[in-house]
Amino acid sequence: EDKVVQSPLSLVVHEGDTVTLNCSYEVTNFRSLLWYKQEKKAPTFLFMLTSSGIEKKSGRLSSILDKKELFSILNITATQTGDSAVYLCAVLLGGYNKLIFGAGTRLAVHP
Amino acid sequence: GAVVSQHPSRVICKSGTSVKIECRSLDFQATTMFWYRQFPKQSLMLMATSNEGSKATYEQGVEKDKFLINHASLTLSTLTVTSAHPEDSSFYICSARELTNYGYTFGSGTRLTVV
């Protein structure tokens, strides 16, 4: 069975801290790994990772994929209260192009 | 960027009635759309893959006769929850992939409450 596991499930930090969110996967037909941020409604796209070892950055957020270890991390530096959200990791499967989501990491950034 | 419009955003219905949720891709064509369900504080669970002009593909455990999916055009997919019951109360989200863009774009979701 295809599965995506995220850790930790929840995290509470103070503004300015750096956080690392983890995502591991076991799937039969891997194409890409995607990170999303979900606040109140629909998830918003952050990154799509297809190749190992290539870091993607967007402002204070960065992410990298290790296809050998079947693992990805999402880093957020100098966190702000606006970073409070649920961060979802998803794996895009080949064939039917399905996205399989992890349970998410609920991040709370306190002032 | 690609936008997916989902309507309604919130609906309350009586037990036993049916509810239709629409998902439209704006400014792009989507031959495939996906329907997810999300319970409070849980992740998105894929319910079905909606294919334009053909039958939807349902995930294991999802009742196709209860959750009717119609993908009549390249920009519109609908999910109808038939004979809704309180346990169907959930957040339903659709998504579509715009081929020139990275990732999948999600609709804003529909919060269904069955009373």
Side-chain angles (χ1 to χ4, degrees), chain A residues 5-111:
Chain A
V5 178
Q6 291 186 246
S7 64
L9 292 181
S10 66
L11 191 55
V12 179
V13 300
H14 288 97
E15 273 191 317
D17 289 350
T18 293
V19 297
T20 298
L21 310 183
N22 306 298
C23 177
S24 63
Y25 59 92
E26 288 182 38
V27 301
T28 53
N29 191 358
F30 176 90
R31 283 189 62 185
S32 302
L33 185 143
L34 294 88
W35 284 96
Y36 287 86
K37 177 181 181 181
Q38 185 177 27
E39 294 178 85
K40 290 186 178 178
K41 290 194 173 179
T44 53
F45 172 75
L46 296 176
F47 298 110
M48 181 174 182
L49 304 158
T50 304
S51 302
S52 257
I54 299 174
E55 185 183 49
K56 294 212 171 179
K57 287 179 70 78
S58 176
R60 295 176 293 103
L61 276 66
S62 64
S63 184
I64 196 163
L65 173 67
D66 184 334
K67 290 170 73 174
K68 184 179 177 183
E69 298 296 327
L70 310 183
F71 189 83
S72 174
I73 60 172
L74 173 69
N75 278 322
I76 308 175
T77 59
T79 52
Q80 302 171 356
T81 55
D83 295 327
S84 298
V86 175
Y87 290 84
L88 297 168
C89 171
V91 171
L92 176 62
L93 304 181
Y96 293 106
N97 292 315
K98 296 195 305 187
L99 273 179
I100 305 296
F101 281 85
T105 294
R106 185 173 297 275
L107 174 66
V109 182
H110 291 169

Side-chain angles (χ1 to χ4, degrees), chain B residues 9-109:
Chain B
S9 58
R10 180 181 289 269
V11 59
I12 301 173
C13 71
K14 289 186 177 180
S15 188
T17 61
S18 296
V19 174
K20 180 185 282 188
I21 303 170
E22 291 189 350
C23 180
R24 292 181 185 272
S25 58
L26 305 182
D27 301 326
F28 72 99
Q29 295 181 335
T31 55
T32 304
M33 292 187 179
F34 302 89
W35 287 95
Y36 294 85
R37 182 174 182 175
Q38 187 176 34
F39 290 106
K41 298 190 178 181
Q42 294 189 27
S43 191
L44 282 76
M45 299 298 296
L46 179 65
M47 297 175 65
T49 302
S50 171
N51 306 298
E52 187 269 335
S54 64
K55 291 182 179 179
T57 305
Y58 289 82
E59 295 300 301
Q60 193 172 9
V62 178
E63 299 175 60
K64 62 181 180 181
D65 294 330
K66 181 167 186 62
F67 299 100
L68 299 179
I69 290 173
N70 184 277
H71 197 149
S73 75
L74 287 171
T75 59
L76 174 64
S77 176
T78 60
L79 168 68
T80 301
V81 183
T82 62
S83 187
H85 290 285
E87 56 265 31
D88 298 325
S89 299
S90 188
F91 192 54
Y92 294 87
I93 312 180
C94 67
S95 78
R97 187 180 186 200
E98 200 276 325
L99 294 179
T100 62
N101 196 5
Y102 290 129
Y104 286 64
T105 303
F106 285 83
S108 55

